[in-house]
């Protein structure tokens, strides 16, 4: 388990009086994938999280094509395998 990038026990993103918006959640997931996962040397990893996180990831951040299984809600303790590939978006470079 890799915890070296955590800054301690305090969760700086949690706000007791408001939920994270879907757009903010998508931005956080995108950052996790492009700033961390994309740069890992490992070819096989496990990511553990909440079903809402993975549902958001597969429906708003990733292009899962017409894969209805990936786009469906994740069940409790469900394990899914997926292969991610990253490409440079030329529009973002301008």
């Amino acid at each position: 388990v890799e915890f070296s990038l955590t800054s301690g026990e305090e969760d700086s993103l949690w706000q007791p009086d408001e939920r994270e918006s879907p757009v903010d959640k998508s931005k956080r997931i995108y950052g996790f994938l492009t700033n961390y996962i994309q740069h890992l040397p490992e070819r096989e990893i496990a990511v553990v999280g909440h079903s809402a996180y993975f549902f958001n990831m597969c429906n708003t951040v990733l292009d899962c094509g017409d894969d209805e299984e990936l786009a469906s809600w994740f069940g409790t303790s469900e394990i899914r395998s997926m292969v991610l590939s990253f490409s440079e978006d030329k529009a973002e470079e301008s």
Side-chain angles (χ1 to χ4, degrees), residues 49-52 54-55 69 72-80:
H50 193 279
S51 57
F54 293 123
F55 182 78
E69 184 177 350
S72 66
W73 191 262
F74 282 62
T76 302
S77 301
E78 182 177 353
I79 297 172
R80 294 188 191 175

Side-chain angles (χ1 to χ4, degrees), residues 8 15 26 35 41 49 54 60 75 84 86-87 90 92:
Q15 301 296 322
S26 294
N35 296 325
F54 293 123
T60 65
L84 298 182
F86 296 89
S87 62
K90 301 297 179 191
E92 289 182 8

Side-chain angles (χ1 to χ4, degrees), residues 9-79:
E9 293 294 318
E10 188 68 29
D11 184 350
S12 62
L13 297 176
W14 183 73
Q15 301 296 322
D17 299 326
E18 65 182 73
R19 287 187 172 260
E20 182 177 32
S21 75
V23 171
D24 288 341
K25 187 183 299 179
S26 294
K27 288 178 182 178
R28 182 166 56 93
I29 294 167
Y30 180 83
F32 170 69
L33 294 173
T34 59
N35 296 325
Y36 182 66
I37 296 296
Q38 180 178 6
H39 302 287
L40 290 174
E42 294 84 4
R43 304 304 300 160
E44 294 184 22
I45 63 167
V47 176
V48 178
H50 193 279
S51 57
Y53 182 94
F54 293 123
F55 182 78
N56 184 297
M57 180 180 76
C58 290
N59 285 278
T60 65
V61 179
L62 300 177
D63 180 0
C64 295
D66 294 328
D67 190 328
E68 292 181 15
E69 184 177 350
L70 276 180
S72 66
W73 191 262
F74 282 62
T76 302
S77 301
E78 182 177 353
I79 297 172

